[in-house]
Amino acid sequence: MKNTKPYIIAEMGVNFYDTARVLNISPLKAAKMYIDGAAEAGCDCAKFQSYKADTIVSKNSPAYWDLSKEPTETQYALFQKHDGFNEEDYRELCNYTHAKGMDFTSTPFDYASADYLEDMVDFYKISSSDLSNLPFIRHIAKKGKKMIVSVGAAYLSEVDEAIRAMKEVGNNDITILHCVLSYPTDPRNANLRIIETLKKDFPDIGIGFSDHVAPDDTMMTLAVAYMLGAEVIEKHFTLDKTLPGNDHYHAGNQEDFKKAIANFKWIDTVLGSAEKTVLDCELIPRREARRSLVLTRDMKEGEIIKEEDLMAKRPGTGISPEFAEIVVGRKAVKDLKEDTILTWNMV
């Protein structure tokens, strides 16, 4: 797994199925187009989802998404549309993703998927929907790979239980992602300060953000998450935000991801170092803008310098005002003109 910070996961979800339908190509070919797009945008990881409708949901489970955007009325019917890939397909996508220089993962939603993905994924990503599925989490954590777990729609106690479950089976390589399980997430519900809460309450594990806020022109949601300490950023990816379907309406395209990455780089640039010192760019302004002790009148050699003979003026090339008490009471060693910037060889 790459060490990029923030580590950026392009969540392909099932968006490529819609692109395949529109372009009249195979879903596998469309998925590779999505990998190409994520690589071109500068993402670190391409993430898919591995499931079968029959093992993820009961047939009468109602929809919980915006039906005006995705009109499918049951979860089962939706998952049936998008469960066509098998182990061989994911292996092909894994190899293709690695050839593009990115990490690969796919969220497993059943034990069979978790097992066949083991030698493909660079880490396991667990959905918020499985946060309370502790036997499943333990099964995956035992494999010893890094665990990245979304914690949307959860109480803090449930997050703690999931982390304990992973640690109990010997897996301490854990990152949790703040997430709001609402598609799309209203910005007023993003609650990014939860990132700070998670960092405070779980200081020994990584913290990130899985974003469902619809992208805007600034991509500021992700920028704020990064500034608050998100080490991993996950967002749904699409090649066409105008397509109807399950996730396009809150996904980012290549330009959105590029903008977010540019924001991250700018944040790193302006945050700079925590060490308080004088920068090279400040050396001349420091000298010219600080003050020195300057004479308020002409003085003859041997005269005693009094407090009223001194004024602090720019530039700071002479005796600093902090030494005024030392200068007062000394003699001028030569004739000096009014407005002379005093140096130590003059007193």
Side-chain angles (χ1 to χ4, degrees), residues 240-261:
D240 185 353
K241 291 188 287 188
T242 68
L243 285 176
N246 191 42
D247 290 320
H248 299 283
Y249 56 93
H250 63 83
N253 61 17
Q254 288 156 287
E255 294 309 310
D256 293 325
F257 274 78
K258 286 179 181 177
K259 191 171 295 182
I261 292 169

Side-chain angles (χ1 to χ4, degrees), residues 203-261:
D204 60 333
I205 65 174
I207 307 297
F209 176 51
S210 180
D211 180 36
H212 296 139
V213 176
D216 60 19
D217 290 340
T218 65
M219 296 302 290
M220 197 52 62
T221 302
L222 297 185
V224 173
Y226 180 48
M227 290 187 69
L228 290 173
E231 302 164 16
V232 175
I233 299 285
E234 178 186 66
K235 187 167 183 62
H236 283 261
F237 181 84
T238 181
L239 294 178
D240 185 353
K241 291 188 287 188
T242 68
L243 285 176
N246 191 42
D247 290 320
H248 299 283
Y249 56 93
H250 63 83
N253 61 17
Q254 288 156 287
E255 294 309 310
D256 293 325
F257 274 78
K258 286 179 181 177
K259 191 171 295 182
I261 292 169

Side-chain angles (χ1 to χ4, degrees), residues 87-98:
E87 178 178 352
E88 289 72 27
D89 296 315
Y90 289 112
R91 191 169 300 280
E92 186 168 344
L93 292 176
C94 169
N95 293 336
Y96 191 81
T97 300
H98 286 156

Side-chain angles (χ1 to χ4, degrees), residues 178-189:
H178 165 51
C179 172
V180 178
L181 205 60
S182 176
Y183 307 90
T185 299
D186 188 310
R188 292 172 294 184
N189 291 328

Side-chain angles (χ1 to χ4, degrees), residues 269-342:
T269 298
V270 297
L271 287 180
S273 170
E275 179 187 3
K276 182 66 181 106
T277 187
V278 179
L279 302 175
D280 289 345
C281 65
E282 295 179 305
L283 291 174
I284 293 176
R286 171 187 166 91
R287 182 189 69 204
E288 300 302 328
R290 287 205 168 186
R291 300 194 183 214
S292 303
L293 294 175
V294 176
L295 290 179
T296 60
R297 65 180 181 87
D298 293 346
M299 296 197 74
K300 296 294 185 180
E301 180 181 346
E303 276 194 84
I304 301 296
I305 301 173
K306 300 176 182 177
E307 184 175 350
E308 59 266 27
D309 296 328
L310 302 175
M311 181 179 289
K313 293 184 180 181
R314 298 182 182 188
T317 52
I319 300 173
S320 171
E322 65 184 305
F323 300 117
E325 291 183 0
I326 297 175
V327 173
V328 171
R330 292 196 176 198
K331 297 178 180 179
V333 299
K334 59 182 178 180
D335 292 347
L336 298 170
K337 294 288 188 181
E338 177 192 354
D339 212 40
T340 295
I341 299 170
L342 291 179

Side-chain angles (χ1 to χ4, degrees), residues 51-214:
Y51 57 77
K52 294 296 180 183
D54 288 332
T55 61
I56 191 174
V57 67
S58 63
K59 291 183 172 60
N60 296 315
S61 292
Y64 60 91
W65 46 80
D66 184 345
L67 289 173
S68 69
K69 303 291 186 181
E70 169 52 70
T72 309
E73 293 189 355
T74 70
Q75 294 182 52
Y76 184 77
L78 183 68
F79 287 125
Q80 273 191 315
K81 295 179 182 179
H82 306 124
D83 70 350
F85 283 1
N86 55 32
E87 178 178 352
E88 289 72 27
D89 296 315
Y90 289 112
R91 191 169 300 280
E92 186 168 344
L93 292 176
C94 169
N95 293 336
Y96 191 81
T97 300
H98 286 156
K100 289 291 180 177
M102 291 189 297
D103 292 336
F104 172 84
T105 196
S106 185
T107 296
F109 286 91
D110 53 55
Y111 287 86
S113 298
D115 291 343
Y116 72 62
L117 286 168
E118 183 174 358
D119 68 344
M120 301 182 209
V121 298
D122 292 287
F123 60 90
Y124 276 106
K125 170 67 204 305
I126 306 300
S127 164
S128 294
S129 60
D130 275 319
L131 189 69
S132 63
N133 191 355
L134 298 184
F136 186 55
I137 288 177
R138 290 190 187 97
H139 176 80
I140 295 173
K142 284 179 183 177
K143 298 177 183 297
K145 285 183 175 281
K146 180 177 181 62
M147 304 286 288
I148 297 183
V149 183
S150 286
V151 297
Y155 295 108
L156 204 58
S157 60
E158 294 174 311
V159 178
D160 184 62
E161 288 171 355
I163 293 171
R164 288 175 185 271
M166 289 180 272
K167 290 183 175 182
E168 284 168 3
V169 297
N171 195 322
N172 295 298
D173 192 359
I174 304 165
T175 293
I176 57 175
L177 306 184
H178 165 51
C179 172
V180 178
L181 205 60
S182 176
Y183 307 90
T185 299
D186 188 310
R188 292 172 294 184
N189 291 328
N191 289 337
L192 293 180
R193 290 194 184 279
I194 292 173
I195 293 170
E196 296 178 310
T197 299
L198 296 175
K199 289 178 75 70
K200 175 174 62 71
D201 288 355
F202 305 106
D204 60 333
I205 65 174
I207 307 297
F209 176 51
S210 180
D211 180 36
H212 296 139
V213 176

